[in-house]
PDB file of all heavy atoms in Angstrom:
ATOM      1  N   ASN A   3      28.838  44.817  16.861  1.00  0.00           N
ATOM      2  CA  ASN A   3      28.696  44.017  15.642  1.00  0.00           C
ATOM      3  C   ASN A   3      28.067  42.659  15.918  1.00  0.00           C
ATOM      4  O   ASN A   3      27.298  42.153  15.115  1.00  0.00           O
ATOM      5  CB  ASN A   3      30.049  43.820  14.961  1.00  0.00           C
ATOM      6  CG  ASN A   3      30.544  45.081  14.289  1.00  0.00           C
ATOM      7  OD1 ASN A   3      29.754  45.975  14.003  1.00  0.00           O
ATOM      8  ND2 ASN A   3      31.839  45.144  14.061  1.00  0.00           N
ATOM      9  N   VAL A   4      28.406  42.053  17.051  1.00  0.00           N
ATOM     10  CA  VAL A   4      27.847  40.751  17.404  1.00  0.00           C
ATOM     11  C   VAL A   4      26.340  40.865  17.563  1.00  0.00           C
ATOM     12  O   VAL A   4      25.581  40.051  17.052  1.00  0.00           O
ATOM     13  CB  VAL A   4      28.481  40.207  18.707  1.00  0.00           C
ATOM     14  CG1 VAL A   4      27.762  38.956  19.177  1.00  0.00           C
ATOM     15  CG2 VAL A   4      29.960  39.949  18.506  1.00  0.00           C
ATOM     16  N   THR A   5      25.885  41.901  18.238  1.00  0.00           N
ATOM     17  CA  THR A   5      24.448  42.105  18.439  1.00  0.00           C
ATOM     18  C   THR A   5      23.737  42.287  17.111  1.00  0.00           C
ATOM     19  O   THR A   5      22.686  41.684  16.874  1.00  0.00           O
ATOM     20  CB  THR A   5      24.194  43.339  19.338  1.00  0.00           C
ATOM     21  OG1 THR A   5      24.920  43.171  20.555  1.00  0.00           O
ATOM     22  CG2 THR A   5      22.722  43.501  19.638  1.00  0.00           C
ATOM     23  N   SER A   6      24.291  43.073  16.227  1.00  0.00           N
ATOM     24  CA  SER A   6      23.639  43.292  14.941  1.00  0.00           C
ATOM     25  C   SER A   6      23.667  42.024  14.090  1.00  0.00           C
ATOM     26  O   SER A   6      22.711  41.723  13.390  1.00  0.00           O
ATOM     27  CB  SER A   6      24.280  44.461  14.187  1.00  0.00           C
ATOM     28  OG  SER A   6      25.618  44.163  13.867  1.00  0.00           O
ATOM     29  N   ASP A   7      24.758  41.235  14.165  1.00  0.00           N
ATOM     30  CA  ASP A   7      24.820  39.972  13.426  1.00  0.00           C
ATOM     31  C   ASP A   7      23.765  38.988  13.915  1.00  0.00           C
ATOM     32  O   ASP A   7      23.091  38.350  13.131  1.00  0.00           O
ATOM     33  CB  ASP A   7      26.201  39.329  13.547  1.00  0.00           C
ATOM     34  CG  ASP A   7      27.268  40.073  12.760  1.00  0.00           C
ATOM     35  OD1 ASP A   7      26.888  40.899  11.900  1.00  0.00           O
ATOM     36  OD2 ASP A   7      28.460  39.829  13.008  1.00  0.00           O
ATOM     37  N   VAL A   8      23.643  38.878  15.227  1.00  0.00           N
ATOM     38  CA  VAL A   8      22.671  37.954  15.804  1.00  0.00           C
ATOM     39  C   VAL A   8      21.256  38.370  15.437  1.00  0.00           C
ATOM     40  O   VAL A   8      20.451  37.567  14.987  1.00  0.00           O
ATOM     41  CB  VAL A   8      22.829  37.853  17.340  1.00  0.00           C
ATOM     42  CG1 VAL A   8      21.653  37.095  17.956  1.00  0.00           C
ATOM     43  CG2 VAL A   8      24.143  37.191  17.691  1.00  0.00           C
ATOM     44  N   SER A   9      20.939  39.643  15.583  1.00  0.00           N
ATOM     45  CA  SER A   9      19.577  40.086  15.291  1.00  0.00           C
ATOM     46  C   SER A   9      19.250  39.964  13.809  1.00  0.00           C
ATOM     47  O   SER A   9      18.126  39.657  13.442  1.00  0.00           O
ATOM     48  CB  SER A   9      19.341  41.519  15.780  1.00  0.00           C
ATOM     49  OG  SER A   9      20.221  42.398  15.128  1.00  0.00           O
ATOM     50  N   SER A  10      20.222  40.128  12.931  1.00  0.00           N
ATOM     51  CA  SER A  10      19.939  39.980  11.509  1.00  0.00           C
ATOM     52  C   SER A  10      19.732  38.516  11.143  1.00  0.00           C
ATOM     53  O   SER A  10      18.942  38.191  10.277  1.00  0.00           O
ATOM     54  CB  SER A  10      21.051  40.592  10.663  1.00  0.00           C
ATOM     55  OG  SER A  10      22.247  39.868  10.832  1.00  0.00           O
ATOM     56  N   ASN A  11      20.443  37.597  11.813  1.00  0.00           N
ATOM     57  CA  ASN A  11      20.274  36.180  11.543  1.00  0.00           C
ATOM     58  C   ASN A  11      18.984  35.621  12.120  1.00  0.00           C
ATOM     59  O   ASN A  11      18.406  34.698  11.576  1.00  0.00           O
ATOM     60  CB  ASN A  11      21.459  35.367  12.072  1.00  0.00           C
ATOM     61  CG  ASN A  11      22.697  35.585  11.242  1.00  0.00           C
ATOM     62  OD1 ASN A  11      22.613  35.886  10.063  1.00  0.00           O
ATOM     63  ND2 ASN A  11      23.853  35.460  11.865  1.00  0.00           N
ATOM     64  N   VAL A  12      18.514  36.147  13.215  1.00  0.00           N
ATOM     65  CA  VAL A  12      17.291  35.655  13.834  1.00  0.00           C
ATOM     66  C   VAL A  12      16.109  35.859  12.890  1.00  0.00           C
ATOM     67  O   VAL A  12      15.221  35.026  12.809  1.00  0.00           O
ATOM     68  CB  VAL A  12      17.040  36.340  15.196  1.00  0.00           C
ATOM     69  CG1 VAL A  12      15.650  36.025  15.723  1.00  0.00           C
ATOM     70  CG2 VAL A  12      18.097  35.907  16.196  1.00  0.00           C
ATOM     71  N   GLY A  13      16.105  36.935  12.150  1.00  0.00           N
ATOM     72  CA  GLY A  13      15.020  37.193  11.209  1.00  0.00           C
ATOM     73  C   GLY A  13      14.902  36.130  10.133  1.00  0.00           C
ATOM     74  O   GLY A  13      13.828  35.888   9.608  1.00  0.00           O
ATOM     75  N   SER A  14      15.996  35.446   9.813  1.00  0.00           N
ATOM     76  CA  SER A  14      15.953  34.431   8.769  1.00  0.00           C
ATOM     77  C   SER A  14      15.461  33.078   9.285  1.00  0.00           C
ATOM     78  O   SER A  14      15.211  32.176   8.519  1.00  0.00           O
ATOM     79  CB  SER A  14      17.333  34.276   8.124  1.00  0.00           C
ATOM     80  OG  SER A  14      18.243  33.772   9.072  1.00  0.00           O
ATOM     81  N   LEU A  15      15.317  32.926  10.585  1.00  0.00           N
ATOM     82  CA  LEU A  15      14.848  31.671  11.169  1.00  0.00           C
ATOM     83  C   LEU A  15      13.341  31.720  11.381  1.00  0.00           C
ATOM     84  O   LEU A  15      12.848  31.766  12.483  1.00  0.00           O
ATOM     85  CB  LEU A  15      15.544  31.421  12.519  1.00  0.00           C
ATOM     86  CG  LEU A  15      17.061  31.311  12.488  1.00  0.00           C
ATOM     87  CD1 LEU A  15      17.605  31.206  13.903  1.00  0.00           C
ATOM     88  CD2 LEU A  15      17.481  30.100  11.677  1.00  0.00           C
ATOM     89  N   SER A  16      12.608  31.710  10.303  1.00  0.00           N
ATOM     90  CA  SER A  16      11.158  31.812  10.416  1.00  0.00           C
ATOM     91  C   SER A  16      10.503  30.457  10.211  1.00  0.00           C
ATOM     92  O   SER A  16      11.027  29.584   9.540  1.00  0.00           O
ATOM     93  CB  SER A  16      10.609  32.823   9.404  1.00  0.00           C
ATOM     94  OG  SER A  16      10.928  32.393   8.111  1.00  0.00           O
ATOM     95  N   VAL A  17       9.343  30.308  10.799  1.00  0.00           N
ATOM     96  CA  VAL A  17       8.558  29.094  10.660  1.00  0.00           C
ATOM     97  C   VAL A  17       7.784  29.183   9.354  1.00  0.00           C
ATOM     98  O   VAL A  17       7.284  30.236   8.988  1.00  0.00           O
ATOM     99  CB  VAL A  17       7.589  28.965  11.856  1.00  0.00           C
ATOM    100  CG1 VAL A  17       6.679  27.764  11.690  1.00  0.00           C
ATOM    101  CG2 VAL A  17       8.354  28.893  13.159  1.00  0.00           C
ATOM    102  N   VAL A  18       7.697  28.065   8.644  1.00  0.00           N
ATOM    103  CA  VAL A  18       6.962  28.033   7.383  1.00  0.00           C
ATOM    104  C   VAL A  18       5.477  28.174   7.688  1.00  0.00           C
ATOM    105  O   VAL A  18       4.924  27.414   8.478  1.00  0.00           O
ATOM    106  CB  VAL A  18       7.234  26.718   6.622  1.00  0.00           C
ATOM    107  CG1 VAL A  18       6.387  26.631   5.373  1.00  0.00           C
ATOM    108  CG2 VAL A  18       8.707  26.588   6.290  1.00  0.00           C
TER     109      VAL A  18
END
Side-chain angles (χ1 to χ4, degrees):
N3 287 340
V4 172
T5 305
S6 64
D7 288 345
V8 169
S9 61
S10 66
N11 288 332
V12 170
S14 65
L15 300 174
S16 61
V17 176
V18 175

